[in-house]
């Protein structure tokens, strides 16, 4: 039985050329993408950037069947 592999998206929210994601995807198990939100993120600009980046990540993951 192949166990799922968790990919923790922390600072690197890109799909293309992401070493952790590539390594996980090369395995036989399902890949489970995870992001943990830190509510202490300072500044409106940083929160806006994070929101847009996570939206783009979600769209990209959905396109890959996640």
């Amino acid at each position: 039985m192949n166990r799922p592999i968790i990919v923790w998206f922390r600072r690197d929210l890109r799909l293309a050329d992401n070493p952790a994601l590539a390594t996980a995807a090369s395995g036989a198990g399902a890949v489970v993408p995870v992001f943990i939100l830190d509510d202490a993120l300072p500044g409106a600009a940083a929160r806006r950037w994070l929101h847009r980046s996570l939206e783009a990540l979600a769209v990209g993951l959905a396109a890959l069947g996640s």
Side-chain angles (χ1 to χ4, degrees):
M1 180 173 141
N2 295 322
R3 294 183 177 192
I5 300 168
I6 296 173
V7 176
W8 181 10
F9 287 90
R10 294 172 55 181
R11 293 186 183 118
D12 189 357
L13 300 179
R14 62 195 162 108
L15 292 177
D17 196 31
N18 183 315
L21 183 59
T23 300
S26 69
V31 177
V32 179
V34 174
F35 179 84
I36 300 172
L37 179 62
D38 179 5
D39 286 336
L41 188 65
R47 286 191 301 273
R48 183 172 177 89
W49 173 87
L50 179 60
H51 177 77
R52 298 245 172 148
S53 297
L54 289 172
E55 282 182 331
L57 179 63
V59 168
L61 288 169
L64 294 172
S66 177

